[in-house]
Amino acid sequence: MPNYCKIKKSVNIIDEIEEYLIRLFPLCRSITGEPNRKTLKILQEIIPLTIHEVPSGSKVFDWIIPDEWKISSAWIEDQEGKRIVDFNDNNLHVVSYSMPINKTMHWQELKPHIHFHPSLPNAIPYRTSYFDQDWGFCVTNEQYEELSKNCTPLNVFIDSELKPGSLSYGEYLIKGHSSREVLLSCYICHPSMANDSLSGVLLTAFLARCISIQKNLNWSYRIVFVPETIGAVTYCALNQRQIKEIDIGLVITTVGGPGDFGYKQTWNPDHWLNELVESILEKNCNSFKKYPFDIHGSDERQYSSQGFRVNSATICKDKYYEYSEYHSSLDNLNFVSAKNIERSLNLYIDLIYRLESLEFYKSEQPNCENMLSKHNLYPALGGAQSFGKEAYSETDLVLWILFLSDGKTPLFKILKDLDISKSQLNYILQKLVDLGLLRKV
Ligand code: ZN
């Protein structure tokens, strides 16, 4: 793991990220479709991910994978043939999953299908209609004004089709020594927006490449590129046993903006992953924001659901919901920079490095206490000594270590909870290992 920094500096990673931002930004991704496949194929240049296809109509828990959406062109013209709105100018102009339409209509009929941004006049908002059969256009305030002033009918045209196909997702598994797994998940379903979705996709790909180069990994890594929600639900449905065994997750999104770093906590606020993330942010950032787990958000909603309960955190830079350009055409390549993505990548790399360095111990006798006297641990080790804020006797510490060492809680978390240092505990850890009561896992 210590080679991470060298690896990053051996190539000009910022230029690479920039190149992929420019190539991937224009693709009109959605929850299905050829642009998603193309995105995954381009990512295969960075990592050897496997592309899976799940047919339309497949039942995945409470959901059904919808028909595949394809759009070729779309516009609104006035009677003189002037195009007031054109999908060719910006793919956010059409509501994602719009049904086809070719009709001349008055403004009053068109109006319910036109969306504008409530607070950013020059922005085109991002709207979807995946599961309701509908159509619509998203426009700037100026375009809205121009459309609404038309007294003559407008020609409205969307050349799209919805037909059976498949949902595409990418998967890359990196095996470590242990079967314990970290899930890295990002979503590939957003069209031309740079911070929401695309920045996370690129960071995940480059992070996966960094991890794959490492030798002697302790953890195994399950890296998935899915359309948000339906893709994560699909992945969980097809990999139920594997997801139930995942230790922790990282849902990677909105990592390339100019604003503050922040992190969203895992569903269990006391989980050690939160402390690990926070220690990295404290070390690397002057300030950062902390967002408690919320039932709204990204795919941690699926991975943390009752059936799986994977504690999943997100480190972000300009978190979704929190910046004004969110879900609009102003979340673009002016808002996001490769440099900012690289800064976020460094935090995730630091997190992986820390994960790989964690120590775990497991009690060999998890069912009830050990009989300490049999092992000469009681009362021979008795006698009060003061450690940390609380006064623990050595017997106390023996009992605490055996009680807390479940093989899944890292030693740093146990030390923190007991408020003692590793050096204060080394002697006892070694003694318990030598006695066969504790083992390092
Ligand atoms: Zn979004």
Side-chain angles (χ1 to χ4, degrees):
M1 245 345 128
N3 286 329
Y4 265 146
C5 293
K6 280 187 212 155
I7 288 161
K8 283 198 297 107
K9 282 171 186 162
S10 68
V11 291
N12 195 337
I13 205 161
I14 297 175
D15 287 352
E16 269 193 287
I17 294 171
E18 178 79 24
E19 179 203 325
Y20 283 103
L21 269 175
I22 291 166
R23 282 173 68 192
L24 290 169
F25 181 78
L27 300 183
C28 187
R29 285 167 290 269
S30 185
I31 52 173
T32 64
E34 198 51 39
N36 289 26
R37 266 173 225 117
K38 190 169 178 188
T39 297
L40 293 170
K41 281 179 191 153
I42 289 173
L43 294 174
Q44 283 178 326
E45 297 169 13
I46 306 170
I47 44 168
L49 58 84
T50 304
I51 301 174
H52 298 268
E53 302 285 347
V54 189
S56 303
S58 303
K59 184 166 165 47
V60 285
F61 296 130
D62 201 27
W63 301 66
I64 305 266
I65 294 183
D67 281 346
E68 193 172 317
W69 186 60
K70 180 183 174 190
I71 181 162
S72 305
S73 59
W75 37 259
I76 305 173
E77 276 181 358
D78 66 14
Q79 289 302 302
E80 270 79 58
K82 182 191 173 193
R83 286 205 179 168
I84 302 169
V85 186
D86 192 341
F87 173 77
N88 271 339
D89 295 337
N90 193 309
N91 60 37
L92 297 189
H93 273 315
V94 174
V95 171
S96 190
Y97 258 68
S98 279
M99 305 290 292
I101 188 158
N102 186 5
K103 192 177 174 188
T104 301
M105 62 183 81
H106 280 284
W107 167 243
Q108 283 309 315
E109 189 184 350
L110 176 61
K111 189 178 171 184
H113 297 278
I114 304 292
H115 309 274
F116 61 93
H117 201 287
S119 56
L120 296 173
N122 298 324
I124 305 159
Y126 168 55
R127 294 280 184 278
T128 64
S129 184
Y130 301 137
F131 299 103
D132 294 321
Q133 295 205 334
D134 200 356
W135 60 270
F137 284 85
C138 302
V139 299
T140 63
N141 286 14
E142 191 181 337
Q143 287 170 318
Y144 189 89
E145 289 296 314
E146 190 172 351
L147 290 168
S148 66
K149 280 180 191 156
N150 260 278
C151 302
T152 52
L154 294 150
N155 300 321
V156 179
F157 178 72
I158 298 177
D159 180 9
S160 65
E161 60 182 19
L162 274 161
K163 60 181 189 183
S166 59
L167 176 150
S168 317
Y169 72 84
E171 181 187 46
Y172 180 33
L173 305 174
I174 303 174
K175 281 276 171 207
H177 292 306
S178 134
S179 58
R180 299 188 64 186
E181 274 192 6
V182 182
L183 172 69
L184 308 182
S185 177
C186 63
Y187 49 93
I188 55 162
C189 53
H190 285 41
S192 297
M193 281 166 287
N195 197 37
D196 189 13
S197 184
L198 184 54
S199 67
V201 169
L202 285 176
L203 189 149
T204 305
F206 282 95
L207 180 61
R209 187 176 75 178
C210 283
I211 295 170
S212 71
I213 294 166
Q214 300 307 308
K215 293 186 170 54
N216 299 316
L217 286 167
N218 291 320
W219 295 77
S220 294
Y221 295 85
R222 180 175 295 269
I223 302 147
V224 297
F225 300 77
V226 290
E228 198 172 25
T229 307
I230 183 73
V233 170
T234 300
Y235 191 79
C236 288
L238 298 179
N239 298 277
Q240 292 183 48
R241 186 181 55 78
Q242 291 88 340
I243 302 282
K244 283 178 198 290
E245 288 175 8
I246 286 170
D247 286 82
I248 54 165
L250 297 169
V251 173
I252 304 176
T253 175
T254 49
V255 289
D260 292 332
F261 283 106
Y263 87 103
K264 180 177 177 179
Q265 291 190 312
T266 66
W267 69 268
N268 171 8
D270 295 326
H271 192 272
W272 55 265
L273 180 56
N274 297 308
E275 290 176 41
L276 199 62
V277 168
E278 214 161 298
S279 71
I280 285 158
L281 289 166
E282 278 166 2
K283 189 181 88 182
N284 292 286
C285 313
N286 293 330
S287 65
F288 62 89
K289 294 178 178 172
K290 181 157 76 177
Y291 303 95
F293 179 81
D294 186 82
I295 205 59
H296 301 285
S298 188
D299 287 327
E300 68 281 359
R301 291 159 25 232
Q302 316 310 331
Y303 306 130
S304 306
S305 62
Q306 284 191 35
F308 303 110
R309 284 292 192 245
V310 177
N311 273 284
S312 306
T314 296
I315 300 175
C316 40
K317 194 167 185 321
D318 274 312
K319 182 182 171 290
Y320 53 85
Y321 303 152
E322 303 290 320
Y323 58 103
S324 55
E325 296 85 352
Y326 171 69
H327 275 188
S328 85
S329 57
L330 298 184
D331 181 353
N332 56 26
L333 296 180
N334 294 324
F335 183 74
V336 162
S337 71
K339 176 68 191 158
N340 282 336
I341 295 176
E342 192 248 6
R343 289 177 66 199
S344 299
L345 175 63
N346 288 341
L347 297 182
Y348 276 97
I349 287 174
D350 207 2
L351 179 60
I352 299 297
Y353 174 72
R354 290 285 303 280
L355 272 176
E356 287 288 328
S357 315
L358 291 179
E359 292 179 89
F360 293 87
Y361 287 87
K362 187 165 176 19
S363 166
E364 294 284 27
Q365 174 59 57
N367 301 323
C368 302
E369 290 180 343
N370 286 100
M371 185 180 175
L372 297 190
S373 59
K374 190 172 102 184
H375 303 285
N376 291 326
L377 290 167
Y378 184 85
L381 283 173
Q385 286 189 348
S386 181
F387 293 102
K389 285 181 192 150
E390 291 194 48
Y392 294 109
S393 69
E394 286 193 13
T395 308
D396 290 339
L397 288 176
V398 165
L399 289 168
W400 272 119
I401 292 305
L402 292 173
F403 183 77
L404 293 171
S405 296
D406 56 5
K408 295 208 157 198
T409 308
L411 184 61
F412 93 87
K413 171 71 171 159
I414 294 174
L415 295 174
K416 194 164 182 203
D417 288 350
L418 294 176
D419 192 23
I420 56 173
S421 70
K422 173 94 187 293
S423 60
Q424 289 170 305
L425 204 64
N426 271 339
Y427 162 73
I428 293 169
L429 283 172
Q430 193 54 54
K431 189 168 184 72
L432 293 175
V433 170
D434 291 345
L435 286 167
L437 304 182
L438 197 67
R439 98 186 126 86
K440 198 168 182 179
V441 291

